[in-house]
Amino acid sequence: MTQPDGVAAAVSSLRSMPRFWNREPPLVQWLDELPRLVAQACTAWGLEPDGGARHGSNALAVPVHRGGEQFILRLAPPGDDVAAEARALTFWDGRGTVRLFEADLPRRITLLERLSDVSLDSVPLDEAATVMGELMRRLAVPAPPDVPGTDEIARHRATELPGEWDRLGRVVGEHFLRAALTAAEVCGQTEASTAVDGDLHGAQVHRATREPWLVFDPGLLRGDACYDLARVLWTRVDEMDDAAAMHRHADRVIAAAGLEVERAHAWIVYRSFDYLLWGLAHGLTEDPPRCVRLLEAFARA
């Protein structure tokens, strides 16, 4: 069986990611089996290694080729919904996203269009904001009726936020909770039924050949395109000096995506508060303070 270069080193590095700190048996077993899984997939799909393996926070990515075509072989850990990812990629079919060529769903292995290593997080904020807004607009085509709705998510989470805030020791002022619940009322009512990437941020947008920029690992939702605008902001908020800079960046994305300003701001407040609580509950240390900065900039007492 063909064994691409650097898999063992990449797996060793992947073990250090927070996802694997608890050393849960299914994850440890998956990490141990990764070299074999890579080799089997290469044999099954007629692939040859084409560079060193690498990884993000969760998955292993191996550059491969078949004939004259270059791909990425992606292997995801137990717990990841690769079937949903495959459905999202099949739905968008290359419209702003990578193309899916092969899928072994039981083993959570996919063969994807090759992208460059240059992510949108590496370009200046103004350029990144415009690209992100244009991608939001490009992905906003009529969505399947059976995928989760952004309004449904907001309504459900609104019922959980007060209890979580209380259990976490009321980590921020109550006025932020009230602002988040008010925002969730807005987000919980929408007439939009277009497709939305529910996991959109610069690290998952890379330079490509077929189009200037393409998204990988999308999450298919239905509803408001501004659902993940807060994540677009908090992933780069450390580069923004003050509230005015945050508003300028948000406004640039909003304009490029053709979003309604007040509605977009409501999503920023609700999602920032939601992720603040989620991050604290899961032991995150960097993102929660970033979410607080966004709340301070966008939430009204």
Side-chain angles (χ1 to χ4, degrees):
M1 290 184 289
T2 303
Q3 179 60 65
D5 295 335
V7 170
V11 172
S12 177
S13 176
L14 183 59
R15 290 180 192 273
S16 67
M17 294 293 101
R19 171 77 175 270
F20 307 101
W21 285 351
N22 292 334
R23 296 190 59 79
E24 298 175 11
L27 295 179
V28 172
Q29 181 180 359
W30 176 76
L31 288 167
D32 291 342
E33 291 180 348
L34 269 177
R36 179 178 61 82
L37 292 173
V38 169
Q40 287 178 341
C42 285
T43 298
W45 290 337
L47 306 172
E48 293 291 336
D50 191 17
R54 51 191 183 269
H55 66 83
S57 58
N58 294 302
L60 182 73
V62 183
V64 294
H65 71 268
R66 183 169 60 194
E69 294 184 280
Q70 294 182 319
F71 307 96
I72 286 290
L73 184 68
R74 185 175 186 273
L75 298 93
D80 278 23
D81 192 351
V82 176
E85 176 194 348
R87 183 188 181 187
L89 292 176
T90 301
F91 167 76
W92 273 301
D93 193 24
R95 181 186 176 92
T97 66
V98 297
R99 286 204 165 107
L100 172 69
F101 293 95
E102 308 275 6
D104 181 343
L105 297 183
R107 296 185 182 185
R108 301 173 305 281
I109 304 175
T110 50
L111 187 66
L112 306 172
E113 177 178 2
R114 176 91 63 94
L115 303 180
S116 83
D117 293 335
V118 179
S119 81
L120 195 57
D121 277 349
S122 67
V123 306
L125 281 172
D126 286 353
E127 178 186 350
T130 300
V131 171
M132 192 64 74
E134 290 171 348
L135 280 170
M136 287 179 173
R137 187 192 291 265
R138 184 153 167 69
L139 296 174
V141 294
D146 62 328
V147 297
T150 60
D151 54 343
E152 301 162 4
I153 294 171
R155 290 197 301 271
H156 174 71
R157 284 295 290 152
T159 66
E160 300 176 336
L161 294 180
E164 290 186 11
W165 171 76
D166 190 54
R167 285 192 297 274
L168 288 167
R170 304 189 174 195
V171 289
V172 291
E174 188 173 358
H175 64 286
F176 285 141
L177 171 64
R178 292 197 301 268
L181 293 176
T182 299
E185 290 181 8
V186 175
C187 302
Q189 303 294 328
T190 184
E191 296 179 357
S193 59
T194 51
V196 181
D197 180 1
D199 189 15
L200 183 63
H201 54 94
Q204 295 192 168
V205 179
H206 280 231
R207 286 200 186 275
T209 301
R210 181 170 52 82
E211 295 187 18
W213 297 94
L214 290 172
V215 177
F216 68 92
D217 196 17
L220 178 58
L221 301 176
R222 168 183 44 79
D224 285 333
C226 41
Y227 171 83
D228 233 10
L229 178 55
R231 192 196 308 263
V232 170
L233 294 173
W234 77 57
T235 50
R236 297 196 66 175
V237 74
D238 292 345
E239 301 171 55
M240 305 174 204
D241 294 332
D242 51 26
M246 296 179 214
H247 277 265
R248 284 196 301 271
H249 190 64
D251 288 346
R252 188 176 290 269
V253 179
I254 290 167
L259 304 174
E260 180 186 341
V261 174
E262 292 300 322
R263 189 168 196 83
H265 285 191
W267 275 105
I268 292 171
V269 171
Y270 153 65
R271 289 278 286 146
S272 295
F273 189 85
D274 181 11
Y275 193 66
L276 165 65
L277 299 188
W278 187 92
L280 291 172
H282 287 79
L284 301 188
T285 58
E286 295 181 351
D287 285 341
R290 293 166 178 157
C291 291
V292 171
R293 288 192 63 201
L294 289 179
L295 288 169
E296 292 171 343
F298 288 92
R300 296 173 180 173

